[in-house]
């Protein structure tokens, strides 16, 4: 059974950094793109990052470009979201996603995804 498990969230101050991890199991992650979404209370879900199966292509939303980056270690079946220069607006629950149908490209965040992790909470506050 395909599973995604996020970790690494917590409380941070503005300007701090956090690294989220998404550990996958139940499938061969090497062949599939992985993405990150987030949802803040009262706001719509937002796609923020995806990475291609090889790691050679990355797509970042404008809201996080220049501050966040995504990477993957296929040997560890893990995808990372490095978040730097955190802002209060980054407060949200962060989810990793995948779907065998979609590759990481400019339209990735428009798709519906079959597989979601349980989410990890990030709170940025002084």
């Amino acid at each position: 059974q395909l599973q995604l498990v996020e970790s690494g969230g917590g409380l941070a101050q503005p300007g701090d950094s956090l690294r989220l991890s998404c550990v996958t199991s139940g499938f061969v992650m090497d062949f599939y793109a992985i993405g990150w979404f987030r949802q803040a209370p009262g706001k719509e879900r937002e796609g923020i990052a995806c990475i291609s199966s090889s790691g050679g292509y990355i797509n970042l939303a404008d809201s996080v470009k220049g501050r966040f980056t995504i990477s993957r270690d296929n040997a560890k079946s893990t995808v990372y979201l490095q978040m730097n220069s955190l802002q209060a607006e980054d407060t949200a629950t962060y989810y990793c996603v995948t779907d065998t149908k979609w590759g990481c490209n400019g339209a990735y965040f428009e798709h519906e995804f079959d597989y979601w992790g349980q989410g990890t909470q990030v709170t940025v506050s002084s």
Side-chain angles (χ1 to χ4, degrees):
Q1 181 179 358
L2 194 155
Q3 287 190 318
L4 307 168
V5 179
E6 304 95 335
S7 63
L11 178 63
Q13 293 189 336
D16 282 354
S17 297
L18 285 175
R19 188 177 79 160
L20 305 184
S21 299
C22 172
V23 178
T24 72
S25 62
F27 73 120
V28 181
M29 193 188 83
D30 307 38
F31 300 133
Y32 301 109
I34 307 289
W36 286 93
F37 279 72
R38 67 184 181 185
Q39 188 162 24
K43 294 189 177 181
E44 290 197 357
R45 193 170 61 201
E46 177 189 19
I48 57 171
C50 69
I51 186 166
S52 65
S53 57
S54 68
Y57 179 83
I58 291 171
N59 186 16
L60 295 168
D62 289 343
S63 59
V64 304
K65 203 169 290 183
R67 300 187 300 121
F68 291 12
T69 190
I70 185 171
S71 62
R72 65 192 292 156
D73 185 340
N74 286 344
K76 295 183 178 180
S77 299
T78 302
V79 172
Y80 303 99
L81 184 69
Q82 179 67 43
M83 307 187 298
N84 299 327
S85 302
L86 284 164
Q87 304 168 355
E89 297 73 34
D90 297 318
T91 295
T93 302
Y94 286 71
Y95 301 90
C96 62
V97 302
T98 194
D99 196 301
T100 58
K101 298 186 293 295
W102 315 127
C104 177
N105 54 36
Y108 187 82
F109 304 133
E110 300 172 17
H111 298 307
E112 294 294 326
F113 292 86
D114 286 342
Y115 302 103
W116 292 74
Q118 84 287 351
T120 186
Q121 177 67 36
V122 172
T123 302
V124 184
S125 174
S126 56

